Amino acid sequence: VPVKGFLWKKLSESAIESSIFSTMSPEEVELDREKLENLFSLRDSTEPSPVDNGKETLISSFKSELVNKFLALVNKSHQQIYEAIYMLDEDLNAEILNRLVEILPDEEETNSIQEWVNDGKDIEDLNTSDQFIWK
C-alpha cells in the first residue's frame, strides 16, 4: 500500500541503545496494520475513508481525516474522551489538546449535523468522525 512521505530521521545505533527500543524484540511489538494503512495510506481525497464503513458524512473529508487521526491517537472511546475533558484528566497533554482544538466543528458543520438530527435521522447512521463532532 503506498503511504504518505515522512521526514523522519533514522536513529543512530547509540540512540537506539539508550532508548526503549533496545529492550524490545520485533516479536513483542504488536502493530495494527489495518489501522496504520487507514491513517497513512495515499488515496484519492474523494474516496471515503475506510474508517467510515460506508456511512454518511456531513463534514469535509479533510476534517474527517483529522478527527479519525485524533481518535486513533487518543485510543479511547468517545465517552472516555468526553469524561477526560470534563474531569480535566492528566492524560490530556498539550499535544492532544492542540489536536482537539484543530478538530472543533465550525458553524456550518454544526448546523449540518443539527439539521440531520432535526430531520429525525439517526446519528448512528453517520460515520465515526461526524458522531464524535456531534457528541
Side-chain angles (χ1 to χ4, degrees):
V1 173
V3 295
K4 299 172 186 171
F6 292 98
L7 300 175
W8 289 349
K9 189 171 126 181
K10 185 175 180 180
L11 294 176
S12 66
E13 281 296 320
S14 60
I16 292 172
E17 290 171 5
S18 63
S19 74
I20 191 170
F21 299 111
S22 66
T23 63
M24 299 170 68
S25 69
E27 296 80 31
E28 292 178 274
V29 179
E30 292 182 32
L31 295 177
D32 185 340
R33 186 179 172 102
E34 184 177 336
K35 190 176 204 178
L36 289 171
E37 287 177 3
N38 288 340
L39 289 172
F40 300 110
S41 66
L42 287 174
R43 64 178 163 270
D44 184 356
S45 62
T46 61
E47 178 183 326
S49 170
V51 177
D52 297 343
N53 297 323
K55 293 187 173 188
E56 290 285 331
T57 185
L58 303 174
I59 62 175
S60 71
S61 60
F62 177 74
K63 177 65 78 78
S64 184
E65 280 294 317
L66 286 177
V67 172
N68 288 331
K69 287 178 183 179
F70 172 79
L71 293 172
L73 171 71
V74 176
N75 199 24
K76 294 183 180 199
S77 72
H78 294 182
Q79 188 61 39
Q80 290 171 323
I81 294 169
Y82 307 134
E83 289 171 6
I85 293 167
Y86 183 74
M87 300 301 292
L88 301 173
D89 191 321
E90 292 177 6
D91 288 342
L92 298 178
N93 60 36
E95 178 188 4
I96 290 173
L97 292 175
N98 284 332
R99 289 193 182 205
L100 184 60
V101 169
E102 288 176 2
I103 64 171
L104 289 174
D106 60 28
E107 186 175 355
E108 182 180 334
E109 291 164 337
T110 303
N111 290 340
S112 294
I113 297 174
Q114 182 65 54
E115 286 177 31
W116 176 273
V117 172
N118 290 346
D119 288 344
K121 297 178 181 174
D122 189 355
I123 200 73
E124 298 295 322
D125 291 337
L126 293 175
N127 72 26
T128 304
S129 53
D130 291 63
Q131 290 178 33
F132 179 77
I133 284 179
W134 175 249
K135 295 177 182 179

